[in-house]
Amino acid sequence: MSQSSGPLELMGAPGSPYTRKMLALLRYRRIPHAIIWASHRNPPAGYPEPAVKLLPTFYFPKAGGGLDAVVDSTPIIRRLEKEHFGRSTLPSDSVLAFLNFLIEDYADEWLTKCMFHFRWAHKADADNAGPMLIFWNQPTISDAEAGPASDFIAKRQIDRLYVVGSNRTTAETIESSYARLVVALDALIRRHGYVLGARPSAADFALYGQLTQLAIVEPTSAAITAATSRRVRGWLDRVEDLSGLSPQDADWLSRDAMRASIGPLLQEIGRVYAPFLLANAQAVMAGAQSFETTIDGRPWTQPTFPYQAKCLKWIRDEFSALAPGDQAEIKNLFTGTGCDALLAGL
Ligand SMILES: N[C@@H](CCC(=O)N[C@@H](CS)C(=O)NCC(=O)O)C(=O)O
């Protein structure tokens, strides 16, 4: 276990999008860190357990000694912004900062449906992912043991596809949403290099995390990405390590540049993620175990997800905290994108 002056330790896995999100962010921010490749099923000895066992788990030194096991990448990013100065991933302009929050949330909560779906819904992808999940964790396992272990994990994950809303009816909605995201991302990278300018934001790292799997590991979605945009793959390979970038404040998009470029990504978020968030939050409020709605013109059904009801609340809280002029700017940007529904009544 490290001393408080040592690198910030975290436990994660190469196949975990949120682990990859945070590793790339730590590299960009030049925060000394040490990744422990492990899982909660086989955790490193002597480290505390977090209240919710998710990857990555960060081990923050406690003031009085010892370590605090902390999960959830979005608040951890904000904590790291307070504890480490410079090379911020949060735009200085409040309108851009709000967009950053929304896009990060979309990547973490919607794109991860794409990731889980592409990983397990088609046989060719599941046949690839099963062994990968084993070898990412246990490089020395024998082939004789790896086979049954991989079959076990694949069956468990395939049986859980319904949890994220992946089924025969929703497959087209999920897959076409990923294909459109690649096009929208390509256009942003082409103009500016990153999503919100010539420097990366938390939103870039969130998109990057999911795409380290979707665009590289899963054969079906990797093929879609390569056929649509090799630029996106080039961006991914760069975002992995941006420790040598020298960001300037002027590298964030101006409001004019933002107005001219962010529309297609907002259209995509409004098309799939906004209706999902609203239907899920309504179901949580009604105490329903599951819900049915329409997303992108097709039926959608899945179990309710209380955490994602909080995501909607947090988006609305971020909006409410903006000055009236900034709120008006966001409302203008959202008009006709479907994202306006997220702010109903505000
Ligand atoms: N909101 C969390 C999500 C983290 C998460 O869902 N991690 C996945 C792995 S990528 C996980 O640990 N799932 C539970 C499991 O694998 O048992 C974050 O942003 O860090």
Side-chain angles (χ1 to χ4, degrees):
M1 211 178 294
S2 80
Q3 303 300 306
S4 60
S5 57
L8 174 60
E9 292 176 298
L10 68 157
M11 171 173 74
S16 151
Y18 306 95
T19 300
R20 302 291 290 274
K21 169 189 179 184
M22 294 309 288
L23 275 178
L25 180 132
L26 289 165
R27 285 189 207 105
Y28 169 63
R29 296 216 54 221
R30 298 184 182 161
I31 298 173
H33 59 279
I35 177 78
I36 303 165
W37 296 125
S39 75
H40 285 294
R41 236 162 279 122
N42 195 8
Y47 286 77
E49 277 184 0
V52 185
K53 292 183 181 175
L54 294 175
L55 296 179
T57 295
F58 276 69
Y59 301 106
F60 284 100
K62 285 201 278 200
L67 295 170
D68 205 8
V70 180
V71 298
D72 207 356
S73 58
T74 299
I76 291 173
I77 289 175
R78 276 74 191 162
R79 174 175 178 165
L80 293 173
E81 291 278 338
K82 292 201 185 97
E83 295 178 356
H84 300 264
F85 179 74
R87 306 178 68 79
S88 175
T89 61
L90 306 179
S92 41
D93 176 87
S94 46
V95 166
L96 224 54
F98 176 77
L99 293 177
N100 172 58
F101 188 85
L102 175 68
I103 299 165
E104 180 181 2
D105 190 56
Y106 155 81
D108 284 352
E109 308 299 331
W110 178 272
L111 259 196
T112 203
K113 293 181 183 300
C114 301
M115 188 254 135
F116 200 72
H117 166 84
F118 276 113
R119 177 158 286 179
W120 300 112
H122 303 295
K123 186 173 180 317
D125 299 289
D127 285 351
N128 174 62
M132 288 314 307
L133 259 68
I134 300 302
F135 293 128
W136 274 322
N137 234 326
Q138 302 174 69
T140 59
I141 190 172
S142 71
D143 286 352
E145 284 174 296
S150 138
D151 291 347
F152 175 81
I153 217 164
K155 180 175 179 338
R156 196 190 61 195
Q157 300 296 75
I158 291 165
D159 287 348
R160 290 176 61 77
L161 273 167
Y162 79 96
V163 173
V164 303
S166 162
N167 55 54
R168 276 176 204 278
T169 319
T170 59
E172 172 63 22
T173 301
I174 296 171
E175 294 185 10
S176 57
S177 82
Y178 176 65
R180 288 189 306 267
L181 182 265
V182 176
V183 174
L185 189 53
D186 178 286
L188 287 166
I189 297 167
R190 181 185 302 255
R191 284 176 93 121
H192 316 295
Y194 302 93
V195 173
L196 296 173
R199 60 184 288 176
S201 57
D204 287 89
F205 291 106
L207 292 163
Y208 160 85
Q210 301 297 328
L211 266 69
T212 59
Q213 310 303 307
L214 281 160
I216 297 173
V217 175
E218 273 56 69
T220 302
S221 48
I224 293 171
T225 319
T228 313
S229 169
R230 289 207 160 75
R231 184 191 308 275
V232 164
R233 175 58 196 267
W235 171 86
L236 273 181
D237 292 341
R238 291 164 62 93
V239 174
E240 181 178 348
D241 192 338
L242 292 173
S243 55
L245 196 76
S246 301
Q248 309 297 318
D249 201 50
D251 290 337
W252 293 119
L253 290 183
S254 67
R255 294 250 177 132
D256 279 344
M258 178 263 297
R259 284 184 208 111
S261 63
I262 205 67
L265 182 54
L266 292 181
Q267 294 273 357
E268 183 50 35
I269 295 172
R271 184 166 171 168
V272 291
Y273 189 45
F276 163 76
L277 276 183
L278 291 164
N280 177 65
Q282 219 171 18
V284 169
M285 273 198 332
Q289 296 294 306
S290 65
F291 66 95
E292 282 174 33
T293 189
T294 302
I295 299 183
D296 199 19
R298 294 177 207 89
W300 183 277
T301 174
Q302 74 161 85
T304 48
F305 216 102
Y307 180 86
Q308 287 161 340
K310 290 191 203 159
C311 291
L312 175 60
K313 180 186 177 306
W314 291 328
I315 291 168
R316 291 170 62 85
D317 288 350
E318 291 283 322
F319 178 81
S320 299
L322 292 173
D326 294 342
Q327 292 188 346
E329 173 83 53
I330 294 289
K331 284 200 166 173
N332 269 338
L333 282 171
F334 278 13
T335 304
T337 66
C339 288
D340 30 3
L342 296 170
L343 308 178
L346 295 179

